[in-house]
């Protein structure tokens, strides 16, 4: 599978925080039912690796990746669990090199020209722009696109139903990361039907 192409087709990457791995498969099924078979499961909790493994094994149609990967140990756990891609909140040389060496698509987090130049040494086509709204959002992405014309961005942080279409209208943006359709409280309360509804709404919005 061409991960970048699939993410560009879907336009959205849900950023998921799972406190309990038992919620992983129901969440994946809820996203699939809403028309969005992709998830970035963040390493913000101890349940991340088990959650990725469960989704990878039980939901083969799901493009499941690991997010908030901040060190090599997490990157190795993500690979072992079956993550199809890795997303980092900032640039990590060790994580990026591990991903490249193991042919795992990686989206390093950047918000400055210096970080972009560090990433470009690895010939990566896409970076995560994070936290997007706090670092100037679309205006900053447009400015960064000048000196780095070949690079594309996946903004995350402050992206929501109100601004996602504006982001996606820019050809330099491959997709947006967001969590409004997979809010932590909905997962905790088992409101997977609501997650499906919000996901279907989000997909209808980005495809208008």
């Amino acid at each position: 599978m061409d991960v970048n192409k699939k993410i560009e087709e879907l336009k959205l990457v849900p950023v998921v925080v799972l406190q309990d791995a038992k919620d992983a498969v129901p969440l994946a099924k809820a996203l699939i039912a809403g028309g969005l078979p992709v998830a970035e499961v963040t390493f913000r909790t101890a349940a991340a690796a088990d959650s990725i493994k469960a989704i990878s094994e039980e939901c083969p149609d799901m493009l499941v990746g690991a997010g908030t990967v901040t060190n090599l140990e997490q990157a190795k756990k993500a690979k072992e669990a079956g993550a199809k891609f890795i997303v980092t909140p900032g640039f990590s040389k060790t994580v990026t090199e591990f991903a490249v060496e193991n042919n795992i698509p990686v989206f390093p987090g950047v918000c400055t020209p210096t970080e972009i130049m560090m990433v470009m040494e690895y010939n990566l086509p896409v970076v995560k722009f994070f936290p997007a709204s706090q670092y100037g959002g679309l205006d900053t992405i447009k400015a960064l696109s000048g000196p780095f014309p070949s690079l594309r961005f996946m903004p995350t942080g402050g992206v929501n139903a109100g601004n996602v279409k504006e982001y996606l209208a820019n050809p330099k943006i491959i997709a947006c990361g967001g969590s409004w359709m997979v809010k932590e409280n909905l997962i905790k309360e088992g409101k997977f039907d609501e997650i499906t509804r919000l996901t279907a709404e989000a997909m209808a919005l980005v495809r208008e």
Side-chain angles (χ1 to χ4, degrees):
M1 181 193 293
D2 185 329
V3 169
N4 285 8
K5 188 178 176 187
K6 185 67 177 174
I7 286 174
E8 184 168 15
E9 283 172 9
L10 293 170
K11 302 179 189 290
L12 290 176
V13 177
V15 179
V16 178
V17 179
L18 287 161
Q19 299 291 344
D20 193 322
K22 73 173 173 54
D23 294 324
V25 170
L27 173 78
K29 288 179 177 176
L31 287 168
I32 291 168
L36 188 55
V38 60
E40 174 191 327
V41 177
T42 63
F43 267 80
R44 296 179 193 182
T45 72
D50 287 342
S51 298
I52 291 167
K53 189 171 191 288
I55 294 169
S56 181
E57 289 177 353
E58 296 189 45
C59 302
D61 294 337
M62 192 78 174
L63 177 61
V64 60
T68 322
V69 175
T70 58
N71 57 56
L72 184 58
E73 183 188 358
Q74 289 175 337
K76 287 179 176 176
K77 283 182 179 176
K79 177 180 179 286
E80 287 164 14
K84 304 292 191 297
F85 61 93
I86 289 174
V87 186
T88 62
F91 174 72
S92 164
K93 188 172 184 286
T94 52
V95 172
T96 302
E97 287 179 355
F98 173 80
V100 170
E101 285 164 9
N102 286 277
N103 295 312
I104 303 169
V106 61
F107 303 92
V110 302
C111 57
T112 68
T114 300
E115 291 163 337
I116 289 174
M117 288 176 71
M118 290 162 73
V119 169
M120 290 189 80
E121 291 183 11
Y122 298 91
N123 296 315
L124 298 175
V126 183
V127 290
K128 170 178 175 169
F129 182 66
F130 175 82
S133 62
Q134 288 81 357
Y135 278 92
L138 196 52
D139 285 344
T140 302
I141 290 172
K142 287 175 182 174
L144 291 170
S145 295
F148 307 110
S150 66
L151 200 64
R152 299 185 74 194
F153 299 84
M154 183 163 66
T156 306
V159 179
N160 55 50
N163 60 19
V164 68
K165 286 184 75 170
E166 187 182 1
Y167 273 109
L168 290 170
N170 188 300
K172 294 294 181 183
I173 291 172
I174 184 172
C176 289
S179 56
W180 78 91
M181 73 294 284
V182 285
K183 287 177 183 167
E184 210 174 329
N185 65 300
L186 294 177
I187 297 170
K188 279 183 184 173
E189 293 164 21
K191 293 182 176 175
F192 298 108
D193 287 348
E194 178 67 2
I195 289 171
T196 294
R197 186 186 70 77
L198 289 169
T199 302
E201 266 184 15
M203 292 308 287
L205 181 67
V206 301
R207 291 199 162 132
E208 275 179 3

